Amino acid sequence: MMYDFAKPIQAFLRAYYCLFCLFLLFASVALGDGEGDAIILTAEEIRAMNALKIGDVLNNVPGVKAGDSSVSIHGSTKVKVFVDGRPINDPTSSHGGINWDFVSPDDVETIEVLRGKGGLVYGQDAAGGVILITTRTLRRFSGNAKVYGGNYGTRDAAASVNVAAGRFIIGVNGGYESSDGYKINNDKERSQAGVKLSYTPEGNSPVLFSVDYLRDERGSSGLPDYPTPYSRKETRSTVYALQANILDFASSTHYNDGYRHNTDPSKGLDKILKVYKFGQDITGAFNITGKDDHGAGISFAWDGATGTGFEDQEEHSVSLFVSQSYSFPRYPLTLAAGLRGNFHSNFENSINPEIKVIYKKPNWRVTTAYGRTDNLPSFYQRYNETSSTRPNPDLEMEQADNLSLSFFTDPHPDLSASISLFFNRLTDRITRITTDDGMGEYQNFGEVHYIGGDMAVSWQVSETAKIKSSYTYLKAEDQDTGMFIPGKAEHAVEIDIYWQPTATLSLVLTGNYLSKVYRNKSNTRTLPERKIMDFRADRSFSGFSIFCEIENLMDETYYYADGLLAPPLTWVLGVSIQI
């Protein structure tokens, strides 16, 4: 049976027409700069946000939604995140959890967000995109410390220091966070530590070795109608990474060891899941003809899982990719294309293409791109068992086809403009369903379309004031039933007002709106729309600063997309020291 392309194309064109009209009316502006859908945030932009967490920074990017341990791009939670080339995705999560505590906004140099692309170079599980975080280069001697506290027993302390010894530079960081929580069984305690060692041979690039450790213990309060006052969760994750550049090749070696322990004495639940992932990536860029750029790479992965209630699992994969870009001398046009082959011991082999065309002029550019990516079912979905969910070891991989069209322009130093449209098709989608006996189970079924677009506004009103805003439209629809996908808001708006009345005082007021979301597959239950405001302030002195943050400024009662009760008004006050 042939696939009918008429419906998604019509929907894509309707979204394009609506967003283009809004673009003409409001002269939309993008946050950051980049190539097409790639948005780059600089250290200066990140510092201006006064954000305490990386998730708060990413929520300023159109189409991106980040939480304490999660992220999604254009509705997809299959997002790969790298810090200095090492992955920080939680291997024990169900669908792409992120260990954000491995990196602080104070240490970040740049953040590059590849929306709907990146699978060619970075492999499987990147249907939503890829986020690349680069930290500041280790210097001879530097450091910072941050301490803050707030309501609901919130306490947080973090510090890092870098020291040089000849060709070696060592960096050490650590942090501790705890909270009593804003509802029953909502407390948490989290600790983190890391070490970086850099060695620079004479005349060569540095070799970087790092170790990061995170431990998180918290209560799981459950849904308001189905509370779980005795459910507890403990997670631990350790990441080892080694990066080096040899001749024209970049090598990245990483090992991630994850541990998850779920308990609930009231239900007799005591389950453990351990996951380990080893990866080796080698990539290279070549200039063979003198005008064309060629790239190639090979990746090897070895993964395994042990735990309660299932036999030990082990699987491996090998991936290869080749790419080429070509610039036309007479036209400001660049064509880039590539293929990636994935060969997996437990899933079907695949050949995935990616192609991008960029038409670039001095003050504007247009980019269109297509890519295909595979999403593998996690060990959690296949083997983890709880009192309400049974495992499904027969899950197959998803396949995502992403198409995007982007326009960017900066006609004035204080004004730039962009619009981005996307169509994402997901086949054999992995979905958690409830069976006839009331148990949940992950299954492959159906085809899902994510259709929409986003715009943003950034206007330097004066030397001391700046306004940024963004709008995202997302239609997430199950093609088998015609119903909307639960938990996906159709409209999202964010407005950020930056005011720096003096060189030492900066204020940020953020407002965001999210339309209603459906709670179930039949679209008979909904969560209402929400309007939230946050406020952040920073007053700097010689060598240190005092900051505060208030979230949910109007103390609104609202719920997350999964139905969990969100926090009421919360505030923190603290001190930051830079060396």
Side-chain angles (χ1 to χ4, degrees):
M1 180 177 179
M2 296 186 65
Y3 178 72
D4 183 9
F5 287 93
K7 186 175 180 180
I9 292 175
Q10 290 172 356
F12 183 80
L13 291 175
R14 285 197 299 268
Y16 180 89
Y17 175 77
C18 293
L19 289 172
F20 184 69
C21 291
L22 289 173
F23 170 76
L24 293 177
L25 181 61
F26 294 108
S28 309
V29 192
L31 172 69
D33 195 5
E35 292 293 337
D37 261 358
I39 294 178
I40 299 175
L41 304 180
T42 65
E44 182 179 0
E45 291 173 311
I46 295 171
R47 285 195 296 270
M49 297 176 190
N50 294 337
L52 296 179
K53 304 286 186 180
I54 287 293
D56 297 329
V57 174
L58 291 170
N59 283 326
N60 285 266
V61 179
V64 178
K65 296 297 177 185
D68 288 342
S69 58
S70 64
V71 67
S72 67
I73 298 179
H74 291 157
S76 174
T77 56
K78 285 293 187 177
V79 179
K80 300 189 79 169
V81 182
F82 296 86
V83 176
D84 295 330
R86 67 187 189 276
I88 62 170
N89 293 75
D90 182 358
T92 67
S93 68
S94 60
H95 54 272
I98 313 294
N99 292 318
W100 291 124
D101 286 279
F102 282 154
V103 59
S104 167
D106 295 332
D107 299 325
V108 174
E109 186 65 29
T110 61
I111 298 177
E112 183 175 2
V113 183
L114 309 177
R115 300 180 301 177
K117 60 174 68 70
L120 175 67
V121 177
Y122 299 100
Q124 298 167 316
D125 298 326
V130 176
I131 298 176
L132 306 174
I133 301 175
T134 303
T135 60
R136 297 176 182 176
T137 303
L138 299 179
R139 295 182 289 139
R140 296 299 176 183
F141 181 78
S142 63
N144 63 74
K146 181 177 290 184
V147 179
Y148 62 85
N151 60 346
Y152 300 106
T154 300
R155 300 169 292 274
D156 192 291
S160 66
V161 62
N162 302 319
V163 180
R167 296 184 180 274
F168 290 92
I169 301 178
I170 185 170
V172 180
N173 64 82
Y176 173 82
E177 177 187 7
S178 66
S179 172
D180 298 335
Y182 56 91
K183 52 185 176 179
I184 296 176
N185 196 33
N186 182 233
D187 62 298
K188 66 178 179 180
E189 184 177 32
R190 184 183 300 172
S191 56
Q192 174 269 331
V195 176
K196 294 181 182 179
L197 179 62
S198 173
Y199 172 71
T200 305
E202 185 175 357
N204 293 302
S205 301
V207 178
L208 179 64
F209 175 75
S210 63
V211 181
D212 291 284
Y213 172 80
L214 174 67
R215 180 182 180 272
D216 186 302
E217 183 177 356
R218 62 179 62 203
S220 300
S221 58
L223 298 172
D225 294 338
Y226 304 96
T228 53
Y230 304 103
S231 178
R232 307 291 298 180
K233 178 178 69 175
E234 179 189 3
T235 58
R236 297 196 296 264
S237 183
T238 306
V239 180
Y240 305 86
L242 176 65
Q243 282 92 31
N245 293 325
I246 304 174
L247 299 177
D248 293 325
F249 296 93
S251 171
S252 176
T253 308
H254 48 84
Y255 177 81
N256 194 329
D257 187 353
Y259 170 90
R260 177 183 294 257
H261 187 197
N262 295 318
T263 59
D264 190 338
S266 67
K267 298 182 178 181
L269 175 66
D270 189 353
K271 299 293 182 179
I272 293 176
L273 175 67
K274 298 179 180 179
V275 178
Y276 48 88
K277 288 179 172 289
F278 171 82
Q280 173 65 60
D281 303 318
I282 300 176
T283 60
F286 313 95
N287 195 324
I288 300 176
T289 64
K291 59 181 179 180
D292 299 344
D293 292 322
H294 302 263
I298 183 171
S299 301
F300 171 77
W302 174 62
D303 306 333
T306 63
T308 308
F310 66 93
E311 296 182 356
D312 292 355
Q313 301 295 317
E314 184 177 319
E315 56 194 42
H316 55 271
S317 64
V318 177
S319 300
L320 303 100
F321 81 87
V322 291
S323 64
Q324 178 177 343
S325 64
Y326 182 80
S327 299
F328 297 85
R330 295 186 178 182
Y331 305 98
L333 188 66
T334 300
L335 171 65
L339 287 174
R340 185 181 185 94
N342 301 304
F343 309 95
H344 202 284
S345 62
N346 290 46
F347 299 99
E348 293 184 3
N349 300 330
S350 62
I351 303 294
N352 294 334
E354 186 170 291
I355 185 169
K356 180 168 64 174
V357 179
I358 303 174
Y359 188 86
K360 187 174 183 180
K361 299 290 282 186
N363 296 111
W364 61 273
R365 65 176 174 268
V366 176
T367 304
T368 184
Y370 165 77
R372 174 175 290 176
T373 308
D374 302 324
N375 296 327
L376 302 181
S378 65
F379 283 116
Y380 181 98
Q381 294 168 331
R382 285 182 280 166
Y383 300 108
N384 193 55
E385 183 178 0
T386 72
S387 57
S388 61
T389 305
R390 65 165 61 94
N392 183 5
D394 298 324
L395 282 174
E396 298 294 337
M397 70 180 184
E398 306 171 334
Q399 190 173 77
D401 292 278
N402 298 340
L403 176 66
S404 65
L405 175 66
S406 304
F407 171 74
F408 178 90
T409 181
D410 50 355
H412 189 273
D414 297 332
L415 193 66
S416 56
S418 80
I419 185 170
S420 178
L421 306 172
F422 60 88
F423 167 62
N424 303 335
R425 184 183 69 180
L426 193 62
T427 56
D428 290 329
R429 182 175 185 262
I430 299 174
T431 307
R432 187 183 186 276
I433 67 170
T434 302
T435 55
D436 293 337
D437 58 0
M439 291 288 289
E441 183 178 86
Y442 291 96
Q443 293 185 3
N444 292 100
F445 74 95
E447 182 174 303
V448 171
H449 290 174
Y450 295 150
I451 304 173
D454 48 55
M455 304 180 300
V457 161
S458 177
W459 177 28
Q460 189 71 46
V461 180
S462 65
E463 292 185 358
T464 61
K466 189 174 188 177
I467 298 176
K468 294 181 179 179
S469 66
S470 66
Y471 166 71
T472 300
Y473 169 76
L474 171 64
K475 184 179 181 182
E477 189 177 51
D478 188 326
Q479 297 304 295
D480 291 340
T481 64
M483 299 293 181
F484 287 94
I485 302 300
K488 309 297 183 184
E490 191 171 5
H491 305 281
V493 179
E494 179 163 325
I495 300 176
D496 300 284
I497 301 174
Y498 299 83
W499 185 37
Q500 191 171 7
T502 68
T504 59
L505 178 63
S506 61
L507 310 172
V508 182
L509 181 66
T510 298
N512 63 74
Y513 165 83
L514 209 63
S515 62
K516 71 176 183 180
V517 298
Y518 291 102
R519 285 286 314 279
N520 56 357
K521 290 169 53 183
S522 59
N523 293 177
T524 57
R525 299 176 60 192
T526 62
L527 289 174
E529 63 183 15
R530 71 173 191 242
K531 308 178 188 69
I532 306 299
M533 295 182 64
D534 302 327
F535 173 77
R536 297 189 293 271
D538 186 284
R539 174 68 164 88
S540 62
F541 300 88
S542 179
F544 74 98
S545 64
I546 299 175
F547 62 88
C548 73
E549 178 179 272
I550 304 175
E551 295 188 343
N552 194 359
L553 188 62
M554 307 305 293
D555 200 18
E556 298 286 340
T557 299
Y558 69 101
Y559 298 85
Y560 293 122
D562 57 7
L564 294 174
L565 179 65
L569 185 150
T570 59
W571 60 267
V572 297
L573 177 66
V575 178
S576 178
I577 302 173
Q578 295 286 338
I579 302 176

